[in-house]
Amino acid sequence: MRIIKIVEGTSVDGPGLRTSIYFAGCAHACPGCHNPQTWDFASGENIAIEDVIKTVQYNGFDVTFTGGDPFYQAEAIVPLAKAIRDAGLGIWSYTGFTFEQLLASDDKDMHELLCLTDVLVDGPFVQSLRDTTLLFRGSANQRLIDVPASLASGEIRLFTPTAAAADW
């Protein structure tokens, strides 16, 4: 899998301290994207799952998949996501795809990565809908989707922070 960088102990890509993994490659090319350097699928470096999981386990933080768009590398990322789940850690994923697009996709790896995700931050960044007051997202069209609850109920369930985390 191609990774641009791993940020250990960040608090901007989900609740609490997290390990954020920035994957290479994104074809959405959203105007105004804050990570256009991640669009190139050949950028970054190939890093073995074993090396990534060592970093994740060392920190013991929940993980965020971002980039780029991790769903473009779903086949390579699914084994990493399984190892993270086996370590008892949660996963947030950022994507320019919508939840509905991922559910309807014929790509079994994209669907499996979705199912291994706790919270999906979905949808393309839309410059005209940019809102810096939103929690963990950049534009008003993007949603924080509670994936397990949405899959169980058959309808979109949004993630809502608990009262104890109100200071995020």
Side-chain angles (χ1 to χ4, degrees):
M1 72 192 124
R2 299 225 32 107
I3 295 176
I4 298 199
K5 67 180 172 179
I6 299 174
V7 179
E8 302 172 51
T10 183
S11 60
V12 298
D13 295 324
L17 291 176
R18 312 183 68 76
T19 300
S20 288
I21 305 169
Y22 288 76
F23 293 95
C26 184
H28 302 293
C30 302
C33 172
H34 72 281
N35 285 332
Q37 70 279 9
T38 66
W39 294 356
D40 182 356
F41 287 88
S43 62
E45 60 184 298
N46 283 319
I47 301 178
I49 290 172
E50 297 78 20
D51 294 332
V52 177
I53 199 65
K54 282 179 190 173
T55 299
V56 167
Q57 289 178 321
Y58 173 79
N59 290 302
F61 303 137
D62 287 334
V63 176
T64 297
F65 295 156
T66 189
D69 190 325
F71 282 86
Y72 284 110
Q73 291 192 58
E75 181 178 6
I77 295 172
V78 163
L80 173 63
K82 288 179 179 178
I84 290 167
R85 301 299 266 171
D86 288 346
L89 300 171
I91 299 171
W92 277 43
S93 295
Y94 281 77
T95 183
F97 294 104
T98 65
F99 180 79
E100 294 85 356
Q101 288 172 318
L102 293 172
L103 275 181
S105 174
D106 291 335
D107 186 316
K108 68 175 183 60
D109 296 306
M110 282 186 165
H111 189 266
E112 189 168 6
L113 182 56
L114 175 66
C115 291
L116 290 164
T117 297
D118 295 302
V119 174
L120 183 76
V121 184
D122 83 329
F125 173 77
V126 177
Q127 182 70 38
S128 63
L129 299 175
R130 181 176 182 260
D131 184 343
T132 59
T133 67
L134 295 172
L135 184 65
F136 304 126
R137 59 202 189 281
S139 60
N141 63 298
Q142 296 172 314
R143 303 172 291 182
L144 302 175
I145 297 174
D146 181 329
V147 175
S150 297
L151 294 174
S153 70
E155 56 187 50
I156 299 287
R157 301 285 185 192
L158 297 179
F159 167 82
T160 54
T162 63
D167 60 336
W168 290 342

